[in-house]
Amino acid sequence: MSLPHAILTALVEKPSSGLDLTRRFDRSIGYFWSATHQQIYRELGKLEAEGFIRTLPSEQPARGQKKSYEVLPAGRAELARWTAASQDPRPHRDTLLLRMRAAAVVGTEGIEADLRRHLDLHRRQLAEYEEIEKRDFPPGKDSSQDRLRHLVLRAGIDLETFWAQWLTRALEEFAELPDHETA
């Protein structure tokens, strides 16, 4: 049930249209909770039906004009309830790790190249996060909201750092396998 809460969070931060929400998901929330344009619009309809959000009145009615939404008190209360509730961490599922395990029994063909590709992808994501950190969290920007948002970004930076280090170690280990042949 996290997508509705991600949308409520985004709308509490700033009333928005569905298109604006999609863009915001692409630029920020989507780094840790992705959603398609269709999923966002479907959830907006459900949230409105549940009385958690409402369509903002339009200054001038026009056919095809985009609707903007804001969070109602019931939506804010639901978001606060959900935020305060305890949740257990979910088990990590990663196809690459499963493929590495399978490679131990069926052979390593293709794995080294994919390890290198993953390393490149994680290094690029890390660089993007570090740029966001420089741009959005300069020294002195330390309100409670900024600090919490920065913590979320730091989680992304730390995860990408972990994956880059692990993949580097995996490639080093791979190179030392007795039956390793350079790809």
Side-chain angles (χ1 to χ4, degrees):
M1 190 161 168
S2 296
L3 179 56
H5 296 100
I7 291 171
L8 286 171
T9 299
L11 289 174
V12 167
E13 291 174 343
K14 180 181 178 185
S16 304
S17 68
L19 180 59
D20 292 336
L21 282 172
T22 299
R23 289 179 180 145
R24 288 173 60 204
F25 266 73
D26 289 345
R27 287 190 320 265
S28 61
I29 294 171
Y31 286 119
F32 55 90
W33 197 268
S34 62
T36 66
H37 188 70
Q38 293 82 7
Q39 288 172 316
I40 290 171
Y41 274 95
R42 188 170 40 248
E43 289 301 327
L44 284 170
K46 290 177 186 176
L47 289 167
E48 191 168 28
E50 292 173 7
F52 291 156
I53 65 172
R54 74 175 180 119
T55 304
L56 288 170
S58 176
E59 292 176 15
Q60 46 189 351
R63 191 165 179 239
Q65 183 177 348
K66 64 182 181 178
K67 295 193 273 186
S68 288
Y69 300 88
E70 71 177 351
V71 176
L72 295 170
R76 186 177 279 274
E78 169 56 22
L79 187 57
R81 182 209 59 77
W82 179 77
T83 301
S86 175
Q87 290 186 342
D88 292 336
R90 293 190 173 176
H92 181 73
R93 295 172 61 172
D94 190 287
T95 307
L96 180 62
L97 297 177
L98 182 57
R99 290 177 52 229
M100 292 281 290
R101 181 74 182 248
V105 293
V106 298
T108 60
E109 186 175 336
I111 295 292
E112 182 177 15
D114 209 33
L115 289 172
R116 292 185 191 290
R117 187 178 70 81
H118 277 251
L119 178 58
D120 181 56
L121 291 170
H122 285 287
R123 284 179 174 163
R124 281 190 282 173
Q125 189 64 64
L126 176 59
E128 186 174 340
Y129 285 162
E130 289 171 337
E131 283 301 312
I132 292 170
E133 183 177 42
K134 285 180 197 170
R135 180 191 70 218
D136 294 350
F137 299 100
K141 191 172 182 179
D142 61 356
S143 71
S144 296
Q145 289 179 337
D146 289 332
R147 291 173 70 181
L148 292 174
R149 287 183 184 122
H150 193 193
L151 276 172
V152 173
L153 178 61
R154 283 299 322 168
I157 290 170
D158 292 348
L159 284 169
E160 294 303 330
T161 300
F162 161 79
W163 280 112
Q165 290 171 344
W166 183 86
L167 286 159
T168 299
R169 182 182 325 144
L171 284 163
E172 290 167 357
E173 194 74 29
F174 198 91
E176 294 177 10
L177 295 176
D179 56 350
H180 176 260
E181 294 180 22
T182 305

